[in-house]
Amino acid sequence: MSGCGATLAGKLAAGLGLSLLLSCGDLPPRQQPAPEEVFRLVEVAESAGVLFRHVSGSPDKRQIYEANSGGVAWLDYDGDGLLDLYLVNGGQRLTATRPPPGEETSGALFRNRGEGGFREVTAAAGLVDWRWGMGAAVADYDNDGDPDLYITHLGANALWRNNGDGTFTDVAHQAGVADPGPGSGAAFGDIDGDGWLDLYVSNYVPVEPDRPLPTSAELCTYRGVPVFCGPKGLSPAPDRLFKSRRDGTFADVTHTSGVGQVSPRYGFDVIFLDVEDDGDEDIYVANDDSPSLLFINDGSGHFQEEGLMAGVALSEAGMAQAGMGLDAADYDGDGLQDIIKTNFETESFNLYRNTENGLFSDRAFHAGLAGSVASLGFGTVFLDVDRDGILDLFFANGHVYSWLQDEPGPFKYAQPNQVFRGEKTSAGFIFRDVSDLAGSGLRGRKVSRGVAVGDYDGDGDLDLVVNNMDDKPDLLRNDTPPRGEWLAVRTRGTLSNRDGYGARVTLVGGGRRQVREVRASRGFLSSSDPAVFFGLGEDPGVVSLEVRWPSGRREQFPVGSVNRRLEVVEGEGTQIP
């Protein structure tokens, strides 16, 4: 079935800067991989009806903020059980007033019509927004049963409350979270276990509409070529932590919580994770050209910054890096959350292995990620592409200096994205670069930014969407022949926050024990489906499932059959003492 439909651009002519393509063909048929292929990821955005083009300033990127936009989010906004898609857009120029006709841009919402097709519904949903967007975070912040959408801007951020009727209303100012930014990453988590989600916003470099940042052709150079200045030499904007008042509004607790006690950094992405497996949510922030931050929660919502002590502030050589995107998962099966972080070219991506007691060791080179040094990485996610029960890694890459496109050498502006297959060896878990063996969707070169994961077509494997700067997005449908069974678990809190963010889900089956934490914000300024996905291998055997909720309650749930989505509700399982 085709996902064709009238687009927002069609309704408003060229007024919102979206793709002018108003028709699409049939979806590409599912294909068997060539014998040499390990994975098969097929790009289907246009044929699926995802007609969109990202815009971010001038083609030659005269200001640093023009090089960073591009978050993306999966969310089931209308509650029909199908994942819908939101793509963040930037702008042609930063302005305090609405741009003139022809220069307006907006993010776009695409409703999943089923059978792999989408229809744009931005205007109908009330989500037309000309402000320069950066990232997206999804959460049911008001516990009313539907997902809401937080968008960071180069200016006041937006909190789009889901009205439950297919429309949204921006309530950021009323809710107290219209942070002036400029925002980059955002993530929701329950910092004190009270059953309501709180919000961390990472900020970058202050900018003013119609007033460019300082430049210097003599001082701001890259390989002898004048480039935009920053971030070093520019003043960073402080991050913010907002605590829910449990009535739909938030209080700024940046300083009283302890996260404001460190000097501001150039914040990019942020994730909530439980570093010490003690049942409360900690916060990790990737910073550009400055040490990254790890805030350890004392259980009451008060934090101590321990990034340097924990080994996640700097590179293995002790150098500050240009941290971009983040994800966390238990890649080695020891039950602890490990961290992947992307960086600038020649700076290997970090694979921080959790070695217990809040300490990490960077295992990037040991685990086979040396091939990442030539890439400038932004988005990154852990996912099990082939359902074999071992996590794989995806990287969305692209440079920030547009003039590199015509230069010789390995460092290009548009770059190929990468996928690494997780493998268990006698020496431990490693990742093997199989990008050239992963299907046609990995053969192109774009300037990629945000990436999000979700099974949008309901066929039991994980698909990817990538937002590309000044380009069309990639919707990477996963056609990889499965190597096993699967189970997707969606958590619903009652005492805990309704999304169950921060829950620890443990599944035993297929000869292994897998641990996942429930989160949505991960990738780069992006939000994935919060349902935790387990590949079970070819012979899962008897499968058992345990959930430790943010409230502290521990329960077992019957699984029965596999190869399905299972919703577990707090209080409906068998309580574990």
Side-chain angles (χ1 to χ4, degrees):
M1 170 181 138
S2 172
C4 301
T7 69
L8 185 58
K11 296 171 186 174
L12 303 180
L16 294 178
L18 305 179
S19 172
L20 296 181
L21 296 171
L22 302 182
S23 62
C24 55
D26 293 331
L27 290 167
R30 296 191 176 276
Q31 304 172 26
Q32 292 299 313
E36 70 276 8
E37 287 183 336
V38 176
F39 299 147
R40 184 165 186 80
L41 301 175
V42 181
E43 205 292 296
V44 297
E46 188 172 321
S47 58
V50 182
L51 308 179
F52 175 86
R53 188 176 184 87
H54 180 270
V55 177
S56 189
S58 61
D60 53 355
K61 307 303 175 200
R62 301 184 186 97
Q63 298 276 279
I64 189 170
Y65 57 79
E66 296 181 328
N68 300 329
S69 171
V72 60
W74 290 115
L75 72 162
D76 180 8
Y77 84 97
D78 54 0
D80 64 356
L82 301 173
L83 288 176
D84 310 301
L85 176 62
Y86 184 86
L87 290 153
V88 177
N89 214 342
Q92 294 192 38
R93 60 187 176 93
L94 187 60
T95 176
T97 59
R98 192 176 189 118
E103 290 190 15
E104 294 174 320
T105 58
S106 174
L109 178 66
F110 293 87
R111 182 178 181 271
N112 192 329
R113 299 174 54 175
E115 299 184 28
F118 292 84
R119 178 171 60 89
E120 192 197 313
V121 294
T122 313
L127 280 172
V128 176
D129 185 353
W130 55 266
R131 292 171 292 179
W132 191 309
M134 298 297 287
V138 176
D140 183 4
Y141 81 94
D142 51 3
N143 283 339
D144 66 351
D146 46 41
D148 309 294
L149 185 62
Y150 189 79
I151 305 297
T152 57
H153 293 118
L154 295 182
N157 297 333
L159 175 59
W160 293 99
R161 184 187 65 205
N162 192 326
N163 298 321
D165 60 0
T167 67
F168 293 80
T169 302
D170 183 5
V171 297
H173 285 282
Q174 301 95 302
V177 291
D179 183 52
S184 48
F188 288 91
D190 185 355
I191 63 175
D192 57 359
D194 67 353
W196 292 78
L197 289 172
D198 312 301
L199 173 65
Y200 189 102
V201 178
S202 58
N203 289 318
Y204 199 61
V205 175
V207 295
E208 297 181 42
D210 302 314
R211 184 175 179 180
L213 293 169
T215 60
S216 171
E218 295 178 354
L219 296 178
C220 303
T221 62
Y222 173 79
R223 299 182 188 169
V225 177
V227 296
F228 56 71
C229 290
K232 285 187 175 180
L234 302 176
S235 298
D239 294 354
R240 298 293 181 200
L241 178 61
F242 299 95
K243 188 182 184 310
S244 174
R245 293 192 178 102
R246 300 189 289 181
D247 61 359
T249 68
F250 294 80
D252 187 339
V253 296
T254 305
H255 294 287
T256 58
S257 66
V259 302
Q261 300 305 307
V262 299
S263 59
R265 314 285 169 88
Y266 307 110
F268 260 144
D269 213 13
V270 55
I271 55 172
F272 280 88
L273 74 162
D274 184 355
V275 168
E276 300 168 307
D277 192 22
D278 58 359
D280 52 46
E281 293 206 84
D282 310 302
I283 302 170
Y284 184 63
V285 185
N287 293 314
D288 190 6
D289 257 337
S290 52
S292 293
L293 299 168
L294 177 62
F295 294 106
I296 298 297
N297 193 340
D298 68 0
S300 68
H302 190 272
F303 296 86
Q304 180 73 34
E305 204 288 305
E306 299 183 9
L308 187 61
M309 294 281 292
V312 295
L314 306 170
S315 71
E316 193 173 24
M319 302 294 291
Q321 297 169 291
M324 310 289 188
L326 291 174
D327 198 4
D330 175 23
Y331 83 90
D332 56 357
D334 64 358
L336 300 172
Q337 293 293 295
D338 311 298
I339 298 171
I340 185 72
K341 177 168 72 73
T342 57
N343 298 301
F344 204 78
E345 69 175 48
T346 73
E347 300 175 348
S348 172
F349 301 161
N350 305 117
L351 179 64
Y352 293 119
R353 180 178 178 268
N354 193 330
T355 60
E356 297 186 89
N357 301 317
L359 301 177
F360 291 80
S361 172
D362 191 350
R363 305 294 295 176
F365 280 92
H366 306 82
L369 296 182
S372 66
V373 294
S375 301
L376 199 163
F378 275 86
T380 180
V381 286
F382 284 104
L383 74 161
D384 187 348
V385 177
D386 56 0
R387 307 194 322 215
D388 66 350
I390 301 176
L391 289 174
D392 312 301
L393 275 169
F394 183 89
F395 298 107
N397 302 320
H399 218 286
V400 297
Y401 302 133
S402 58
W403 61 269
L404 281 170
Q405 193 59 33
D406 300 322
E407 292 294 305
F411 306 112
K412 298 292 187 182
Y413 184 50
Q415 299 181 358
N417 294 330
Q418 296 170 288
V419 60
F420 286 71
R421 183 170 188 256
E423 298 178 354
K424 186 176 182 180
T425 70
S426 58
F429 287 87
I430 65 168
F431 294 94
R432 180 165 62 94
D433 190 349
V434 296
S435 307
D436 293 336
L437 306 174
S440 59
L442 271 291
R443 292 176 190 156
R445 291 173 179 262
K446 294 184 179 181
V447 185
S448 298
R449 294 298 183 252
V451 58
V453 179
D455 180 12
Y456 80 89
D457 52 1
D459 64 351
D461 54 34
L462 292 174
D463 312 295
L464 296 136
V465 60
V466 181
N467 205 353
N468 298 305
M469 181 162 289
D470 299 324
D471 209 334
K472 296 179 288 187
D474 290 326
L475 178 59
L476 300 177
R477 189 183 67 196
N478 189 351
D479 287 354
T480 304
R483 291 182 173 89
E485 312 299 319
W486 62 280
L487 186 72
V489 180
R490 185 72 164 94
T491 51
R492 293 295 185 196
T494 53
L495 295 174
S496 304
N497 66 86
R498 183 177 172 85
D499 287 320
Y501 287 4
R504 186 177 192 267
V505 183
T506 303
L507 185 143
V508 177
R512 58 174 55 91
R513 179 174 176 266
Q514 300 183 59
V515 176
R516 302 278 193 271
E517 282 187 1
V518 180
R519 69 174 61 85
S521 291
R522 57 194 185 108
F524 175 74
L525 317 186
S526 297
S527 192
S528 292
D529 180 11
V532 291
F533 183 92
F534 297 96
L536 300 174
E538 295 180 355
D539 184 16
V542 178
V543 176
S544 65
L545 184 70
E546 177 185 320
V547 179
R548 185 184 69 196
W549 297 94
S551 66
R553 184 184 182 103
R554 295 176 61 226
E555 294 179 302
Q556 287 182 332
F557 290 89
V559 174
S561 61
V562 295
N563 296 331
R564 65 190 180 103
R565 290 177 68 93
L566 172 66
E567 181 176 271
V568 295
V569 180
E570 185 177 15
E572 295 186 2
T574 302
Q575 189 163 355
I576 302 171

